[in-house]
């Protein structure tokens, strides 16, 4: 996607701070184009948990992906901002709602994304959310997660520091609580289907990985 398209998405947002953040994030983070590649050929609706400002949804629409998308986040300010951007965009089938992912999930059968939010959950909350999210994936559909992985790398140390900085600057409501390991994902998600784990840090110093569950056809 071109820089002009990033600016178009950024211009949908109400405040200057959000507009600058959105343009910079889309320019520098390979996350959204990776998700677009995974979801491009699927007609299933998408549930995006911890959607923040809804960047994934706006990016997918700009890539011509027209499936219904529901984004949920427990930060009302971000949801308000995402809603204003959705109204301004006049894009169809795009909804954002205030919801704490620790209090269950709405009915859904489709694809599910959980991007950069698991570090705010305790190990038990992570396991419950992952199992619940996997149960919302349609046969043949995907649960796509990005998470920093706990391991012995320098990248992991930088990831923890970055999350504490986000809290200190009030960009995130919460401080990081717990980082899962690659083995945690394998153990929790393998009963639902095939699990793949690969690095997704792009040009960043973070220990981000992409975890993709492809749900078994039952
Ligand atoms: C690092 S941001 C990622 C935003 C978005 N997923 C993205 O990648 O563009 C983490 C998001 O998770 C949200 N979050 C954290 N805990 C949550 C919870 N319990 N329920 C819903 N959202 C939560 C935060 O409000 C924040 O918007």
């Amino acid at each position: 996607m071109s820089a002009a398209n990033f600016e178009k998405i950024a211009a949908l947002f109400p405040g200057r701070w959000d507009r600058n953040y959105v343009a910079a994030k889309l320019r520098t983070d390979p996350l959204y184009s990776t998700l677009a590649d995974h979801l491009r050929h699927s007609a299933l609706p998408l549930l995006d948990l911890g959607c923040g400002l809804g960047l994934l949804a706006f990016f997918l629409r700009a890539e011509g992906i027209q499936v219904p998308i529901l984004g949920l986040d427990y930060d009302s300010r971000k949801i308000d901002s995402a809603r204003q951007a959705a109204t301004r965009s006049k894009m169809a089938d795009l909804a954002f709602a205030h919801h704490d992912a620790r209090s269950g999930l709405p009915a859904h059968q489709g694809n599910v994304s959980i991007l950069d939010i698991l570090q705010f959950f305790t190990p038990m909350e992570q396991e419950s959310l992952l199992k619940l999210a996997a149960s919302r994936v349609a046969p043949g559909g995907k649960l796509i997660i990005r998470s920093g992985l706990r391991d012995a790398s320098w990248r992991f140390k930088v990831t923890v520091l970055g999350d504490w900085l986000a809290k200190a600057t009030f960009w995130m409501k919460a401080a990081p609580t717990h980082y899962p390991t690659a083995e945690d994902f394998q153990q929790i998600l393998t009963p639902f289907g095939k699990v793949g784990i690969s690095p997704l840090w792009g040009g960043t110093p973070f220990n981000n990985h992409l975890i993709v569950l492809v749900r078994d056809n039952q």
Side-chain angles (χ1 to χ4, degrees):
M1 193 184 291
S2 69
N5 275 330
F6 297 152
E7 295 300 332
K8 259 193 216 161
I9 296 175
L12 295 171
F13 286 85
R16 198 151 57 116
W17 166 266
D18 279 353
R19 283 201 291 271
N20 288 340
Y21 168 79
V22 168
K25 178 84 170 157
L26 292 175
R27 250 195 331 265
T28 54
D29 196 332
L31 177 62
Y32 309 104
S33 54
T34 303
L35 266 281
D37 291 344
H38 271 280
L39 297 172
R40 198 177 301 287
H41 302 294
S42 173
L44 295 168
L46 174 67
L47 179 62
D48 185 21
L49 303 174
C51 64
L53 296 172
L55 293 198
L56 175 63
F58 293 108
F59 188 94
L60 294 178
R61 282 291 184 275
E63 286 279 306
I65 297 170
Q66 300 298 344
V67 296
I69 302 175
L70 171 61
L72 303 177
D73 201 287
Y74 78 163
D75 187 330
S76 327
R77 190 200 74 76
K78 288 180 183 163
I79 289 298
D80 285 348
S81 204
R83 282 180 169 162
Q84 288 183 51
T87 304
R88 200 169 291 171
S89 75
K90 300 193 172 62
M91 291 168 184
D93 280 336
L94 211 55
F96 298 100
H98 178 262
H99 179 82
D100 189 325
R102 289 168 297 192
S103 62
L105 294 180
H108 173 81
Q109 274 292 285
N111 295 308
V112 180
S113 50
I114 303 180
L115 307 177
D116 297 348
I117 86 163
L118 285 176
Q119 69 273 24
F120 302 114
F121 292 62
T122 65
M124 269 176 69
E125 288 167 347
Q126 290 179 1
E127 182 163 353
S128 321
L129 180 64
L130 289 172
K131 284 182 175 164
L132 199 54
S135 76
R136 297 293 196 269
V137 178
K142 291 177 180 174
L143 167 59
I144 309 180
I145 301 154
R146 184 165 78 170
S147 176
L149 291 189
R150 182 156 51 88
D151 60 22
S153 66
W154 64 265
R155 283 183 174 278
F156 174 60
K157 294 184 178 69
V158 178
T159 304
V160 177
L161 188 68
D163 284 331
W164 276 103
L165 270 178
K167 163 71 177 140
T169 55
F170 302 105
W171 179 243
M172 288 299 146
K173 284 202 327 181
T177 300
H178 176 78
Y179 294 84
T181 62
E183 294 71 33
D184 291 333
F185 286 109
Q186 291 286 2
Q187 189 235 315
I188 295 166
L189 296 177
T190 300
F192 295 90
K194 192 170 176 297
V195 179
I197 301 181
S198 50
L200 182 57
W201 49 63
T204 76
F206 304 119
N207 199 32
N208 285 331
H209 282 71
L210 191 73
I211 298 100
V212 181
L213 162 72
V214 181
R215 186 93 204 255
D216 286 338
N217 286 303
Q218 292 111 339

